Amino acid sequence: MKQIAVLHLNRPETAETVTFMGQSLQIRHLNCANDLDKARELITQLDGQVDAIALHGMPAQLELGPAKRKHAQGAGLTAVAQQTPVVDGRIIRAGLERWGIILADRAQPGIFSRKRVLMTPGINHNGMSRALERHGCTIRYADPFIYFHLPKVPGIGFRQTRNQAAPFTLDRLKDVSYETLYPQVNGRSPEPNQAPFDWADVIAGDIGTIRHFAPETLKRKTIVVENASEDDLADLQARGVDIVVTLMPALDDAAGLGQWSAATVEAALTALRPDPAAPLNEDTYLDMMADLEWTPAIRTLQPENADINRFAFVIHPLSVRFIHGHRAFRWTKYLPDSIVEAVAAYIPPLSLSRITGGQSPTTGQRIEGHLISLGATPRQMMRHGERFTYDRLHKAAEMAERKGARIMGLGAFTSVVGDAGITVAHEADIAITSGNSLTVAATLEAAKQAVIKMGATDLTKGKVMIIGATGSIGSVCSRLLAQAIYDVVLVSIEPERLIDLKRTIQEETPGAKVAIATRPDELIGDCDLIVTATSAFGQRIVDITKCKPGAVICDVARPPDISPAEAALRPDVLVIESGEVLIPGDIDFGYDIGLPPKTAYACLAETALLAMDGRFEDYTLGRNISVERVKEIYRLFKKHDFQIADLRSFDEAVTDEQFAQKRKLAAELKADPAHFAQLQAETGAKLAKIPVQAKGVKSRRKNSGGMVAAIVAVIGGIAILLWNGRRR
C-alpha cells in the first residue's frame, strides 16, 4: 500500500486509508505546531519511509498573476528530503482549479456566469481567478486589505487588478510567516471589512482565510475553495452562505466533499505514478489527472434555496408617469416631462425586485425571478433606434446572468423593437424569449371567455377582426382565430404582407372566409370580436363608436391602443386587456407591476413557465411566431396548472354585474336601430374632441424651451442615486 504524509501547521494528528484511482492509499496527517524546524525534522524522519510528503499551507513559492517570489521560510523545505518527493501543490493546483471550474459549470450551468468575485486571497490561486474570468466574472482581490490592513472604507483596497497589485503584494509577503498567510480557521478577524464581501457574489480562495476575514453575514453568497471540511460547511451555513464548491478531487472514491488540499492531492498523484522515476512536472501529472473521474463537490447549504430554477424579466416605464411613480425618482415630477423622459432613457438597467414563491403543483419545481427595468419609454426607444435598446438589453442580460438567471423575458416594448428579440438572443449568453407565444394563447383564451360572457352561444358563427394582423402576435392570432371562427378580417398598414397572410390562412384552413384591409373603419361594424396588436403611436387605432352593440375588443398592445376615455363612449362594448395569468404557488413579485397579487402579464408568465419546466432555450423570437410553439406553451401552461386570471378592463376586474349591464345595453341597441344610429352620431362627435393617441402617446407637438438647468438637475440626481446604489 502506498503511503503519504501531510504536514500541517496546526492540526491534530490523524491517519486514514482511502481508495484513490483504484488503489489503496494511507494518509498520515502530522502537526508541526507552527514550527518550521519541527517540519524539517519530520521531513528528515519521513525521508525514505513514505512515498510522498505534502506541505499543507507551507508553499515554497508565492504566485500572483505573472509575479512569483520564493517564500523566505519555506523555500528550503522541499529540498530537505533526499529520497522522498516533497510537494506543496504548486504544480497541479492551477490546472485542477481551471478544470474544476469547467466541471462545476457543466454540473450547474451558470453558477459562475457574470459574477462578482472576491479572491480571498488571490495568492497561489491564479488558475481559479483566470478560469472565473473566462466565465465573464469581475475579479477583485482581498489581499491588500487582509494582509496590509488598509482602511475599512467601502471600495478601498480591493480594486487593484492582479497585474497591478502582484509585485507590491508579493514583495511584502515573501518574508511573513505562514501563520500570517494562512490564519487559523478557529480565529476570526475582530473587525471584518464588510464592504468588499457585500459587493461580491462569489468569494473564492482558501477556506481558512475566508472564515477568518469574512463577516458574520454572507447571505446568498457562493464560496469556491480548494477544499473544505464538514465543520467548515457548518460555519458557512450559519453565516447564510448558499453554495460551497470544492475544486480538488476527493481522494476517497466514496466521498462527495473535496476535503483534501492541492498539496495532498499532488502527493497522492506522486505516490501513485506508474513510473516512480517520472519527473515531477505538469506533464507527468496531466496524464494522471485526465484519468480522474470526478466532479467538484457542489453543496447547497440553505435547503430552501436548493433546486430553484431562476429567470429574469425586463420591464420599462410605459410613460413618464411611471418614472414619477418610482420612489427613487418622485422628485422628477417637478421637472418638465419631456426632459425627464429623455434623460431617463439613458439610465442603465436597474434591478427592481426578486420574484419568489412560484412552484409547480405537478412537479414541485420551484422558481425565482428577477425584475429588471430599463429607463426608456416606448417613445424614447423608437426615437433612439434599435441599437440603443439592444445595448441596454445586453447589459440587462449580463445582470440577469450574474443573478443566476438562465432565461430572460422581454416585456412590453422591448419585445417589439427591431427584430423582436433575435439580436438580443444572439448577443446574450442566456436564453431569451419575448413571451409572445403565451401572450397569444392567453389572449385567445381571454377573448373566448369574454365573448361567451357577452352572450355568444356559437363562436363559429361570429366574425373577428385583427388589427395589426401582420405583426408577430397579430399574425399567429389571425391564423389560430381563423381555425375557430372561420370569418376573419385582417387589418394592417402592410398590404403585401396582408396578401401573404391571407393565402397562408386559406391554405391552413380551407373554407375560412378572409377579408383584408388597411383600415378597420368600414368593416369593424360587423365584427363581434376585435383584437388589437399594433405598435403604432400617436394615432387612433379603433373608432369605438363604429363597433356593433355588444362587441368585445381585446387590446393586446402594451401600452394599450385604446384609452379609458374612448372606451367610456360605448358602455355596451367590452374592452379587455390581453389575458393575464395566475402563476401557481405563493408568488410574490416584490414590486407593483400594476396587476393584482399573484397575477402576471402573459409574457412574464411565459418566462416563468419555461423556467419551471427547465426549458432554458430561446423560445419565442422574431416576428414569425410558430403556431406549434403557441400550442406547446399552452400544453406546458396546463401541465403546471397556470390559470387565466379574471378578465380586466383598464386595470379593473370586470364583474358579473358589469357583464350583465353590458349585455342589457347591447340588447337594447340591437332592438332599436334608430337609437343606435343616434348614439353613434353623438359619440362620434365626442370622440372628435378626444386627442388622437395610441398607447397613451398623443400626436407630438414641439416643446418650447431648452431647459438646460432641468436637464442638468435630472442627470445629477440620477447620477447620485446610481452612485449611492452601487455603494450600498
Side-chain angles (χ1 to χ4, degrees):
M1 179 188 302
K2 299 290 186 179
Q3 299 182 52
I4 66 172
V6 185
L7 306 189
H8 299 265
L9 287 170
N10 188 2
R11 168 180 164 161
E13 296 193 356
T14 60
E16 59 187 329
T17 300
V18 301
T19 301
F20 182 57
M21 299 187 74
Q23 299 185 50
S24 294
L25 181 68
Q26 187 180 65
I27 306 174
R28 294 171 59 192
H29 298 275
L30 304 175
N31 185 13
C32 298
N34 293 314
D35 185 344
L36 293 188
D37 289 334
K38 183 175 181 179
R40 293 186 183 90
E41 181 182 335
L42 286 172
I43 293 172
T44 301
Q45 294 173 1
L46 294 165
D47 190 18
Q49 304 301 309
V50 295
D51 297 286
I53 300 171
L55 302 177
H56 179 96
M58 291 176 277
Q61 181 171 277
L62 304 182
E63 300 180 5
L64 186 60
K68 299 179 182 180
R69 301 288 188 274
K70 288 185 177 181
H71 189 270
Q73 294 180 319
L77 289 178
T78 56
V80 172
Q82 300 300 309
Q83 303 177 57
T84 302
V86 180
V87 299
D88 63 358
R90 177 178 57 85
I91 300 175
I92 69 162
R93 181 182 288 111
L96 279 178
E97 285 180 345
R98 289 194 296 267
W99 184 227
I101 293 291
I102 291 172
L103 293 177
D105 184 69
R106 289 178 183 174
Q108 192 166 324
I111 188 173
F112 305 122
S113 296
R114 306 288 176 184
K115 297 297 191 291
R116 296 173 176 173
V117 179
L118 182 67
M119 298 300 302
T120 312
I123 288 177
N124 286 353
H125 290 299
N126 285 341
M128 195 184 296
S129 61
R130 287 173 180 169
L132 289 168
E133 282 178 342
R134 289 171 184 163
H135 284 78
C137 295
T138 301
I139 311 291
R140 290 181 178 174
Y141 291 81
D143 305 56
F145 77 79
I146 65 176
Y147 292 132
F148 307 131
H149 311 293
L150 291 184
K152 296 175 175 59
V153 178
I156 299 297
F158 68 104
R159 290 182 181 271
Q160 292 95 332
T161 66
R162 179 177 61 243
N163 291 351
Q164 292 170 334
F168 171 88
T169 302
L170 296 188
D171 285 341
R172 287 155 181 77
L173 293 180
K174 62 184 176 62
D175 297 318
V176 304
S177 69
Y178 286 133
E179 294 174 83
T180 302
L181 280 175
Y182 300 102
Q184 300 301 308
V185 297
N186 57 356
R188 289 187 182 177
S189 174
E191 298 180 15
N193 194 336
Q194 186 84 34
F197 291 96
D198 285 346
W199 169 87
D201 305 305
V202 175
I203 303 166
D206 295 318
I207 186 64
T209 307
I210 292 171
R211 287 183 59 184
H212 181 82
F213 287 103
E216 291 287 336
T217 301
L218 295 172
K219 194 173 182 181
R220 289 195 290 273
K221 305 297 183 185
T222 295
I223 306 295
V224 183
V225 288
E226 271 189 24
N227 62 293
S229 67
E230 294 293 346
D231 288 341
D232 294 327
L233 265 58
D235 175 73
L236 296 175
Q237 183 179 36
R239 301 194 200 197
V241 168
D242 194 2
I243 298 172
V244 174
V245 182
T246 53
L247 294 178
M248 291 297 121
L251 292 183
D252 188 340
D253 291 342
L257 183 65
Q259 303 186 49
W260 294 269
S261 66
T264 307
V265 174
E266 189 171 300
L269 292 172
T270 301
L272 298 177
R273 286 173 297 168
D275 179 7
L280 300 183
N281 57 35
E282 190 173 24
D283 289 343
T284 295
Y285 293 121
L286 275 177
D287 281 334
M288 300 183 70
M289 287 159 55
D291 292 334
L292 292 175
E293 296 292 338
W294 69 292
T295 297
I298 303 175
R299 289 282 191 92
T300 300
L301 303 186
Q302 310 301 329
E304 66 273 14
N305 294 335
D307 300 322
I308 295 179
N309 288 347
R310 291 176 172 84
F311 68 95
F313 189 74
V314 179
I315 61 176
H316 63 87
L318 300 182
S319 67
V320 73
R321 69 181 178 86
F322 286 82
I323 301 172
H324 297 327
H326 191 284
R327 63 180 181 274
F329 300 111
R330 286 173 184 161
W331 52 274
T332 61
K333 65 185 178 181
Y334 301 107
L335 300 170
D337 283 356
S338 60
I339 302 299
V340 173
E341 185 178 1
V343 175
Y346 290 90
I347 298 176
L350 298 175
S351 177
L352 293 181
S353 69
R354 253 188 344 133
I355 303 172
T356 59
Q359 185 171 16
S360 169
T362 306
T363 64
Q365 178 63 58
R366 293 185 297 152
I367 57 172
E368 179 182 283
H370 293 274
L371 272 182
I372 298 172
S373 179
L374 306 187
T377 62
R379 178 163 55 197
Q380 288 297 317
M381 291 184 193
M382 294 294 289
R383 176 169 295 173
H384 282 284
E386 301 166 1
R387 189 70 250 174
F388 182 85
T389 303
Y390 290 163
D391 290 343
R392 281 147 184 79
L393 288 173
H394 181 70
K395 291 179 180 178
E398 290 182 342
M399 179 185 293
E401 192 174 7
R402 185 173 70 80
K403 293 178 177 297
R406 295 175 62 190
I407 186 169
M408 184 177 81
L410 306 179
F413 215 69
T414 62
S415 66
V416 175
V417 170
D419 53 21
I422 293 175
T423 297
V424 178
H426 176 73
E427 296 178 352
D429 291 330
I430 58 175
I432 301 293
T433 186
S434 69
N436 285 343
S437 290
L438 188 56
T439 297
V440 170
T443 295
L444 298 182
E445 182 65 25
K448 174 184 174 182
Q449 293 181 15
V451 171
I452 291 174
K453 289 189 175 186
M454 286 296 287
T457 56
D458 187 355
L459 295 179
T460 63
K461 295 182 180 179
K463 188 172 186 176
V464 59
M465 172 180 285
I466 303 92
I467 304 176
T470 57
S472 57
I473 292 177
S475 60
V476 72
C477 277
S478 300
R479 293 164 64 188
L480 289 169
L481 283 168
Q483 295 175 13
I485 299 179
Y486 305 118
D487 192 351
V488 296
V489 179
L490 312 178
V491 179
S492 171
I493 59 173
E494 303 174 297
E496 71 286 354
R497 298 184 68 183
L498 277 174
I499 294 171
D500 190 45
L501 179 59
K502 176 177 180 177
R503 290 179 175 176
T504 298
I505 292 174
Q506 289 174 331
E507 290 175 2
E508 290 178 341
T509 311
K513 183 180 178 182
V514 183
I516 57 177
T518 56
R519 295 183 57 82
D521 296 348
E522 294 183 6
L523 300 172
I524 200 169
D526 297 326
C527 296
D528 305 281
L529 171 65
I530 300 102
V531 176
T532 75
T534 79
S535 56
F537 287 89
Q539 56 188 279
R540 181 156 289 131
I541 304 302
V542 174
D543 183 345
I544 197 169
T545 68
K546 296 183 178 181
C547 290
K548 69 185 299 183
V552 172
I553 301 176
C554 186
D555 193 346
V556 182
R558 285 293 173 272
D561 281 331
I562 302 169
S563 70
E566 291 171 327
L569 296 176
R570 288 289 302 275
D572 62 301
V573 173
L574 174 64
V575 179
I576 63 167
E577 298 156 7
S578 60
E580 277 75 47
V581 175
L582 297 175
I583 298 176
D586 189 19
I587 195 79
D588 181 1
F589 296 102
Y591 185 82
D592 183 6
I593 63 172
L595 293 175
K598 305 183 188 303
T599 306
Y601 295 107
C603 47
L604 191 163
E606 177 177 308
T607 315
L609 177 55
L610 291 168
M612 189 175 286
D613 202 60
R615 298 281 292 271
F616 299 112
E617 61 188 75
D618 296 334
Y619 193 83
T620 310
L621 297 175
R623 306 199 180 282
N624 296 318
I625 300 175
S626 165
V627 170
E628 289 70 28
R629 288 261 159 161
V630 174
K631 293 179 178 178
E632 171 69 6
I633 203 71
Y634 190 66
R635 184 188 68 79
L636 297 180
F637 180 94
K638 292 294 187 182
K639 171 185 174 181
H640 294 286
D641 200 28
F642 281 56
Q643 302 288 332
I644 296 294
D646 291 339
L647 298 177
R648 292 166 57 81
S649 180
F650 302 107
D651 299 330
E652 297 291 337
V654 184
T655 65
D656 289 339
E657 291 76 13
Q658 289 172 321
F659 276 114
Q661 180 64 22
K662 287 181 179 294
R663 289 196 300 269
K664 180 181 177 182
L665 289 173
E668 291 173 353
L669 292 173
K670 289 177 182 178
D672 190 345
H675 177 49
F676 178 52
Q678 181 182 358
L679 174 67
Q680 285 187 306
E682 293 173 354
T683 55
K686 293 178 181 178
L687 182 65
K689 297 178 181 179
I690 297 177
V692 174
Q693 61 180 315
K695 299 174 179 59
V697 178
K698 300 176 183 178
S699 296
R700 190 70 174 163
R701 294 195 301 265
K702 284 189 175 181
N703 190 307
S704 61
M707 299 298 293
V708 174
I711 295 176
V712 173
V714 176
I715 294 174
I718 290 172
I720 291 170
L721 284 168
L722 293 176
W723 171 251
N724 288 336
R726 286 195 178 97
R727 291 185 62 187
R728 285 195 295 270

